[in-house]
Amino acid sequence: MDLAFIPSPSVGVVHLGPIPLRGYAFCIIIGVFVGVWLGNKRWIQRGGRSGTVADIAVWAVPFGLVGGRLYHVITTYEPYFGENGHPLDAFKVWEGGLGIWGAVALGAVGAWIGCRRRGIPMPAYADALAPGLALGQAIGRWGNWFNQELYGKPTDVPWALKISSDPAIGRIGGTYHPTFLYECLWCIGVAALVIWADKRFRLGHGRAFALYVAAYCAGRAWIEYMRVDEAHHILGLRLNVWTALIVGLLAVAYLVISAKKAPGREEVVEPGAQLAEGADADAAGSGKDSESAEGDSTDGGKVSVDKPSAKPKADAETKADAAADDDAKQAADEAETSAKDRPADAAGDDKADEKAADKPDDKPEEASAAADAAKPAGSGSTKKS
């Protein structure tokens, strides 16, 4: 008897009237939102605009869903196109069956289209999105828990997953390894690894994304090996194990080659983003200046009447200085005019003096006789009679 285990939900869908609410779909949707949210934050930190990641995700997510479903249907075609298969069931995505390999591959095509339309380098976008993809996968894996699928080998460990029996699909009840939980925890670790390495080594030109792929493949290889659901085998290994090994090696090779050919990180990830931020900063600064000016003239929303503004005083001083300059200029002009007129006046005075000096006395004899008559008798005259 098992003393501890992880229970599985009795149902994977809840009906809200005629609308079915499926746990698998909710996990996928929440995973997408978390991935885009984290990707947007990292894109802004790298110098891009807010919202660009979501705009490109509009292309990447639909392509990724189609790619994931195609990979699952192609590699597990028997339930759909095999003997007694149902081809229309290939469109029932809500029943589970999305291959991460196809989702990433075709999702990259959609992202490339979105990046090309925005003039953004695809490797830089992939680097920003890498940890978000890992967290999105961690959340999305809980959809397998709702559907009771993709579990591992039988076990009695305390964290074993309880699976209910379903003869209609050949499911045998019991406790199994919760491979969905293993992959969820592994993906969280991958996201943390990529974030740390990106800050520590400033990964760029697609190397953060390559690290995510390599680390995920390393975990997926051993987790896939534990699963007991039907799958194609090649040389004794499940197909997805081979896929993880090959893709992981390619990612490591890209890391090494890219580090040699293009070291460092992109300086500009979104052309025009810096200019737009500068314009926004200028607009914000202008608004602050206006608020500051208003704050100088008001105090708590009340007009200040005790302290006159310094600007009128400065204007008065400026006008006074200008008036003084005008007076000084006028005085200088008058002095200059006076200096020019003075030589002429002096010349006139000199001529008048010369004329007065040159003018002879009209009656010198009469003047002499008058002087003599004025003298008293015996006043010093020596003339004898």
Side-chain angles (χ1 to χ4, degrees):
M1 179 178 179
D2 297 324
L3 298 178
F5 57 84
I6 300 174
S8 293
S10 57
V11 293
V13 56
V14 177
H15 289 84
L16 185 61
I19 302 175
L21 304 178
R22 302 182 183 276
Y24 186 88
F26 269 111
C27 291
I28 298 297
I29 293 172
I30 295 173
V32 169
F33 274 102
V34 170
V36 171
W37 169 79
L38 181 57
N40 183 68
K41 291 191 64 174
R42 286 173 50 81
W43 184 252
I44 295 174
Q45 292 173 355
R46 285 175 173 254
R49 295 179 182 177
S50 176
T52 297
V53 171
D55 292 342
I56 298 176
V58 172
W59 289 88
V61 172
F63 274 76
L65 291 175
V66 173
R69 188 60 176 175
L70 283 176
Y71 181 88
H72 170 75
V73 172
I74 292 173
T75 57
T76 313
Y77 63 88
E78 290 84 2
Y80 312 106
F81 304 104
E83 186 177 358
N84 298 323
H86 303 280
L88 294 179
D89 288 349
F91 297 97
K92 296 180 180 180
V93 181
W94 55 87
E95 293 183 355
L98 290 174
I100 186 61
W101 314 110
V104 173
L106 207 55
V109 174
W112 177 81
I113 295 174
C115 288
R116 187 176 179 83
R117 290 169 59 90
R118 296 291 295 267
I120 293 173
M122 175 70 178
Y125 179 81
D127 284 341
L129 200 62
L133 283 175
L135 285 182
Q137 287 178 245
I139 297 172
R141 273 304 173 192
W142 283 85
N144 301 136
W145 176 66
F146 280 100
N147 287 354
Q148 297 193 46
E149 60 182 1
L150 307 185
Y151 43 85
K153 298 175 181 178
T155 184
D156 57 357
V157 295
W159 57 87
L161 177 65
K162 180 70 173 181
I163 297 295
S164 60
S165 61
D166 189 351
I169 58 176
R171 188 171 65 199
I172 301 175
T175 55
Y176 301 86
H177 277 287
T179 53
F180 84 92
L181 180 61
Y182 298 160
E183 188 165 339
C184 172
L185 297 176
W186 184 267
C187 287
I188 294 174
V190 170
L193 172 65
V194 173
I195 293 174
W196 171 82
D198 193 26
K199 290 183 178 179
R200 175 66 176 80
F201 303 105
R202 289 184 58 81
L203 302 177
H205 302 282
R207 287 189 289 276
F209 183 81
L211 177 61
Y212 145 72
V213 173
Y216 172 75
C217 289
R220 178 63 184 268
W222 66 267
I223 294 172
E224 183 73 20
Y225 185 76
M226 297 179 64
R227 284 166 47 172
V228 295
D229 54 298
E230 294 184 2
H232 295 284
H233 289 70
I234 300 176
L235 299 179
L237 293 178
R238 294 166 64 95
L239 175 61
N240 284 333
V241 174
W242 283 107
T243 304
L245 293 175
I246 295 172
V247 174
L249 291 175
L250 291 176
V252 172
Y254 180 87
L255 272 171
V256 176
I257 297 173
S258 176
K260 292 181 178 180
K261 288 189 174 183
R265 180 186 289 178
E266 300 91 341
E267 294 295 332
V268 178
V269 297
E270 186 170 2
Q274 289 80 3
L275 296 177
E277 291 178 359
D280 294 340
D282 292 341
S286 177
K288 290 181 179 179
D289 293 341
S290 300
E291 292 176 1
S292 177
E294 292 177 359
D296 292 339
S297 60
T298 60
D299 184 10
K302 297 180 179 179
V303 179
S304 176
V305 296
D306 296 333
K307 296 182 180 180
S309 175
K311 186 174 181 181
K313 182 178 180 181
D315 292 343
E317 293 178 356
T318 302
K319 291 180 180 179
D321 294 340
D325 293 341
D326 293 340
D327 294 341
K329 186 176 180 181
Q330 183 176 359
D333 292 341
E334 292 176 355
E336 184 178 358
T337 304
S338 176
K340 290 181 180 179
D341 295 340
R342 188 175 300 160
D345 295 340
D349 295 340
D350 293 341
K351 290 180 180 180
D353 295 339
E354 290 176 359
K355 185 177 181 180
D358 293 343
K359 184 178 180 180
D361 294 337
D362 294 338
K363 297 179 179 181
E365 294 179 357
E366 295 178 358
S368 178
D372 291 340
K375 291 179 179 180
S379 61
S381 176
T382 60
K383 185 176 180 182
K384 295 181 178 178
S385 59

